[in-house]
Amino acid sequence: MRKLSAENRYAIYASLLLICVIIPALPYIKGRLGSMPLALSLYWCVLTGIIFFILPRLYIIHKGDKDLTGYGISGGIIFIAIQFVPAVFMKKLASSPYDISVLGILFNMITVLPQIAAREMIRQYSFAAAYKTCKYKRAVIVIITVIFCLTEINFGGLTAAKSTKDIFIYGVQTIFPIITKNVLVSLLVFYGGVLPGVIYLSIIQIFQRCFPVLPELPWLLEGSIGIAFPIIYSMFVVDHVFSRDRYESKDRKADIKGLVSLLFATLFVWFCVGVFPVYPKAILTGSMEPLIMPGDMVLIKKIDKEEEINALSEGEIICFKRDDITIVHRIEKVLQDKAGNISFQTKGDNNNAVDERKVEPNDVRGIVIKVIPKVGLPGLLLRVQNKIPEGVVDK
């Protein structure tokens, strides 16, 4: 019987390991193992032991870069900050659903860290096998990354979607963030080895399972962060790697440029979600024409102090909440009851009548200070097929 070459054995080992990643993700097995988290954790520990002690060592030697370990640490911390800081300012924090007692935290670590370690070791081993044995190395690496994405997606949630809107929300909030996260982790593992990918994912998971309060952001914001950050950080990682190859790692201009770009991108996200005193909103209707047209962007200055609300006068344009929607209309009249409590009668410039309900001080979010034409058109295009109440802005 013909003996298998080393390259063929590597390919077989990598294929078997990928099958071991796929098996726990199969719906039936996933449902059964969901009630046995310790058994699943033991399964990942066994796989880690097999890779570490039994299988022949396999690395992409010339691609290793210990500097990427630091990028795994900083990436995890920055991702948490981008989510947490807006949640604090927007008051969108919720109690952790996990047990955060000492034993609970220990249990969380036992159930999540072995999985992360085993999956990333398998990812690295599969990449190395592809790099050593395959003709079309990059294509195979992409396929491996797709497999890792598919094992994380809950297709039950996708099939449970009842409308196109539900599918869109599930895609933005869940599927696309999984894809971009796996692209980033694949880059970290391919260029830096197992450790950067494990550290990046572990920091995020440890925070989510050990911190007493967690961000509870609107789905669009949560999805945008989950999609945008891995893409931006992936470009930063690639830029660092190729800068190192050209300049032998001593020229840090590219790193500084990448960090500055990432900082500005983070600040821009925070600006858009309302972390700063002034924040933008896209107008989706024509109730304030001709001053504010559909697709225009308005800059809103936050108002949260009582004296600022009492200083509002007729003719000023305010942003206020009405149930679950946000509206930008002009103050038609300042109302005051016998006890001295004020409220506001509002009206859209293009509407024939004043708004039926008066605006209470607690409803006011801010005052419009600037109109920027047409910048909000993307938000208008996304909502064009839905019925939009008059005066609503893009949330």
Side-chain angles (χ1 to χ4, degrees), residues 245-284:
D245 291 342
R246 290 194 298 267
Y247 304 116
E248 298 183 352
S249 204
K250 290 188 177 181
D251 187 349
R252 296 297 181 182
K253 290 182 179 179
D255 290 350
I256 295 173
K257 180 181 177 182
L259 285 171
V260 171
S261 300
L262 185 61
L263 175 62
F264 275 104
T266 302
L267 293 175
F268 178 74
V269 171
W270 288 352
F271 170 67
C272 290
V273 302
V275 171
F276 301 116
V278 175
Y279 63 96
K281 287 291 184 181
I283 300 296
L284 304 182

Side-chain angles (χ1 to χ4, degrees), residues 125-160:
Y125 199 95
S126 302
F127 285 175
Y131 200 80
K132 191 173 184 65
T133 64
C134 296
K135 181 178 179 181
Y136 301 103
K137 301 175 176 59
R138 296 186 183 276
V140 176
I141 287 171
V142 169
I143 292 172
I144 293 170
T145 301
V146 170
I147 291 172
F148 274 84
C149 291
L150 293 175
T151 60
E152 289 190 55
I153 296 173
N154 179 9
F155 289 98
L158 187 61
T159 56

Side-chain angles (χ1 to χ4, degrees), residues 220 282-284 295 297 375-384 388 394:
L220 185 57
I283 300 296
L284 304 182
M297 182 80 73
V375 177
L377 281 175
L380 180 63
L381 294 175
L382 285 174
R383 305 290 186 92
V384 70
I388 306 169
D394 181 23

Side-chain angles (χ1 to χ4, degrees), residues 207-218:
F207 173 81
Q208 291 178 347
R209 293 170 183 265
C210 298
F211 207 72
V213 292
L214 296 174
E216 195 176 51
L217 299 171

Side-chain angles (χ1 to χ4, degrees), residues 317-382:
I317 302 173
I318 59 172
C319 175
F320 58 93
K321 292 286 287 186
R322 176 69 74 230
D323 298 326
D324 293 329
I325 62 176
T326 308
I327 298 175
V328 168
H329 276 177
R330 192 184 299 276
I331 296 175
E332 185 79 5
K333 183 182 296 186
V334 178
L335 308 173
Q336 189 171 18
D337 61 19
K338 294 180 180 179
N341 300 314
I342 67 169
S343 58
F344 306 99
Q345 185 179 75
T346 56
K347 176 181 177 296
D349 290 355
N350 197 36
N351 292 347
N352 294 325
V354 298
D355 300 332
E356 293 182 0
R357 292 167 55 184
K358 62 183 180 179
V359 177
E360 302 294 340
N362 288 337
D363 299 330
V364 178
R365 294 295 178 267
I367 182 172
V368 174
I369 59 174
K370 181 72 174 178
V371 179
I372 306 175
K374 307 307 178 186
V375 177
L377 281 175
L380 180 63
L381 294 175
L382 285 174

